[in-house]
Amino acid sequence: MSRIGVFVCHCGENISATVNCEKVAQISKELKGVEFSTDYKYMCSDPGQTMLKEAIKEHKLDGVVVAACSPRMHEPTFRKACSEAGLNPYLCEMSNIREHCSWVHPKDDLTTEKAEDLVRVMVEKVKKNKALNSIKVPVTKTALVIGGGVAGIQAALDIANCGHKVVMVEKQPSIGGHMSQLSETFPTLDCSQCILTPRMVEIAQHPNITLYTYAEVEKVDGFIGNFKITVRKKSKSLDEHLCTGCGLCTTKCPQKKIPNEFERGLGFRPAIYVPFPQAVPNKPVIDRENCTYYIKGKCKVCEIVCPTKAIRFDQEDELVEIEAGAIVLATGFDVLKSDFFPEYGYGKYKDVIDGLQFERLASASGPTMGEIRRPSDGQIPKKIVFVACAGSRDPAKGIEYCSKICCMYTAKHAMLYKHKVHDGTPYVFYMDIRAGGKMYEEFVRRAIVEDETQYIRGRVSTIYEKNGKLIVKGADTLMGAEPVEIEADMVVLATAGVANHGAEALAQTVHVSYDAYKFFAEAHPKLKPVETNTAGIFLAGACQAPKDIPESVAAASGAAVKVAALFSNDELTREPLIAVVNRQAPPVFSSCVGCFLCQSVCPYQAIEREEIKNRNGEVIKTLAKVNEGLCQGCGTCVALCRTKAIDIHGYSNQQVYTEVMALLND
Amino acid sequence: MKIGFYPGCSMKGGAREYQESVVALAKVFDIELVEIPDWNCCGATAAHNLNKELSLSLPARIMALAEKEGITDIVVPCAACYNRLSVTKHELAEDASLCSKVTGIIDLKYSGKTNILNIIQFIDKYITDKLEEKVVKPFNYNTACYYGCLLVRPHAILNFDRVEDPQSMDVLVKKSGGNAIDWAFKTECCGAGMSVSRTDTVARLSGDILKDASDRKAEVMVVACPMCHSNLDMRRPEINKYLDEKISMPVLYISQVLGLAVGLDAKTLGLNRHMTEVILPDKPVKNAEPAEVSKKVANPEKMEA
Ligand SMILES: Cc1cc2nc3c(=O)[nH]c(=O)nc-3n(C[C@H](O)[C@H](O)[C@H](O)COP(=O)(O)OP(=O)(O)OC[C@H]3O[C@@H](n4cnc5c(N)ncnc54)[C@H](O)[C@@H]3O)c2cc1C
Ligand code: SF4
């Protein structure tokens, strides 16, 4: 006969507003096998947990049901409390009467009855629960950081400075990300390169960090503490040990008119190139798609001029295997592409540019050496219009969210423009100015008051070219929706920040979830902002949602702490809720017949073969065996097993059956 | 297959040439259009300003009549009628109780399965593929394609072309051998129903449209809506006064442009019915340039990163 305790939580009013918690406790008391039951305002609070522990001891409980919120929220809390009171934690179950009941039904007797049903089901399940012991697995104390923008850099340095090894994988020929393209940064207007490049160099020189640039993650296997990663190092057509980075090859390459990605098409680069002068590593790669030799079969000018004979035309991609205990995703974001704005003529008119292009124009190392000159004819624009929310907050465009960074960088752009073109007039069309943050509102005020930026509240309907001017038509909603028309010399669109091209594919490779906009999803929006739903994989920076530099860096440090905490133990404890193949006495050994259907469906490659041998060493039966480290307890194998030889601890066929029967036999 | 034809009121009156040209064009491609028997007014602007049920019942009746005839596609050349029929179809599909109410009012069976095609969708579905081989007299003029408001909006319901910078008519003009110019007023309002009550507003709005096209060297404007046509064509005296300049650019329906390209004569296409005289000087047929341009596809990948 069981001695089960039932603890019904009010969750403040979250549950008790629609469910009669006292009644649920009372009714549960009558259930067979229930020894004790009670209700309390906050079960998860300290007094609540103490009450639970004392009841276990006093009533010698051998099973516990906490009827409260989702187990995703507090199962660990209550299991820990049970274990502190000497009860095996896996004899504690949660009945979700919040998300599954009080939140989705009105206040009604039926709602209370449903809560009673949910409790009864769990009571029956607990009767079938077995004491389980957690599994220990070793931890590889190396972190893989994917993406070398400011977020990846921060995370890598923080982890490396804790004394752990870090492997950084960056897709581009250089690390630095978007921040390396920026001119000056809000809210302090300090030079982006000056604060970033020293950290980039630190990455390259840190004894704990291995950097792979021009590389991508191809495959991720394993699990928290024990990931196995395959990285493809794309061929740079270069022997990096021999190359001194002298740059002679880049000046002699006959291909000179390739649009420069770093300058966002505002400049050109050769086929053998270093993306920007401060690149890390500062060694070139050959862009094979545009290289004369790869296209036509002859040229090799770079090979001829290279003083150290470092060019390798026949070099192939290299696959590197990495073992890591944790992964930090820091692959950043992108800004919208041109055909999104036919009405603004972006992509059609040369002088309609995006924010990143403006950053390049304003950058001292950019294509105009920091002078604001418009792309079409190199003139200095006297009237410039900035359009905020270009794509963002626009359900018609499919982007409903606020991109968060553009209000601030638009104010920055207006300022930078005014600082460089004193007699020019900057206009900003905006919906709302979102400047929450330390010194942010003050920064925007400065743009308006000191730098005389004309802020017009309203949207731009269309932009067209006429006699060399860009006619910007919009409305001024603070002036009674008056139509306004500005004859501008140049227009800068603050285009929406969007998920990186390829983010979806990467998420699938790494096995993390992503949201409808293809940004990577955090495990909990408030309490687990840098964790993903996959244990051991963390998020840093703008790959999660548009973020500015301070926020990206803060998230990166957060992720680094999580990694360091993980690496602070030599072993990890894992939940024992995994599949097991039953064992029986010889000569049967197990009801498993060795068909290995389970092996073919297991998404985690957790099924192994076990050979049973007789005394003479002859194999008499081959059985399936579950690798405890790899199994994630998904249950796919259970559904498939023909002889019911495989079952899941904690969610056995029998337990689930009992739950269903408890409902049916009401 | 029978293709239904809904002329709407305007095509029996001021826009007779629109119907004439659509029917003539269809005939060139061996397509027979069946006018929906006993059709009624779509309700136009008036109905949906006064009474929602009426505004839905009128178009619903038209679609129900088509269904009765076994018609699956209805061509609706008037952009306003197209809009009303499409919106009705959408609203009735979204709301079952409203739908049963409306079918009660019209007292006809209505399944909501009829396809509503505007003139461009009709051409794209049945003609475009065979168009280029039938072109005998390339329409080699600088052409401003004017879409107006109703053809592409609301996008969520019509799901047709790009809202702010539509391209479908430009493509047809190019395929007819014309040069569809890049200009700014493709979807600006022409003044629409204010044609009678506020002629001054129409003169200003339509005037700005014609002026921009003319400044960009357009020789002809193409439309797909009788309302737009009447404002741009018939209000020319007021427009010229507003602009203080005489604009003699003719305004043609897209069906007339295609008709000319496939060799139909001006009279069959009703060109003589326009208020602004249609003078299209013969040009030597060698202008292969626009077709070239349309073939050149920019490599979008290049700008990424
Ligand atoms: C126009 C503009 C102006 C801005 N101005 C400011 C400012 O003044 N102040 C401010 O605080 N913020 C500013 N920001 C925001 C700032 O750029 C971001 O906060 C910052 O870049 C985010 O850093 P990140 O490392 O998360 O992402 P990113 O900078 O995007 O870096 C991501 C890195 O990951 C790499 N990567 C991507 N995919 C993969 C892959 N599959 N495998 C390997 N590597 C990959 C990329 O190549 C890149 O190096 C501005 C943004 C824009 C667009
Ligand atoms: S940050 Fe400002 S400009 Fe950017 S989407 Fe949000 S409100 Fe619009």
Side-chain angles (χ1 to χ4, degrees), chain A residues 184 358 361-362 368-374 378-386 412-427 447 450-454 489-490 492:
Chain A
E184 288 163 16
F358 187 85
L361 291 182
T368 54
M369 309 309 260
E371 283 185 39
I372 308 294
R373 292 183 175 278
R374 61 185 209 170
Q379 295 291 316
I380 294 178
K382 295 291 175 206
K383 266 192 197 176
I384 184 166
V385 171
F386 296 93
K412 173 184 78 173
H413 288 173
M415 264 185 194
L416 292 178
Y417 169 71
K418 192 70 185 178
H419 295 177
K420 295 183 183 224
V421 185
H422 301 296
D423 59 343
T425 315
Y427 296 86
E450 285 174 29
D451 294 315
E452 298 172 340
T453 307
Q454 306 294 313
D489 300 308
M490 189 162 117
V492 183

Side-chain angles (χ1 to χ4, degrees), chain A residues 9 11 15 66-74 78 94-99:
Chain A
C9 181
C11 192
I15 297 171
V66 184
C69 52
S70 158
R72 277 194 55 180
M73 185 82 198
H74 274 313
F78 295 119
M94 284 193 76
S95 182
N96 184 354
I97 60 167
R98 195 178 72 175
E99 284 85 340

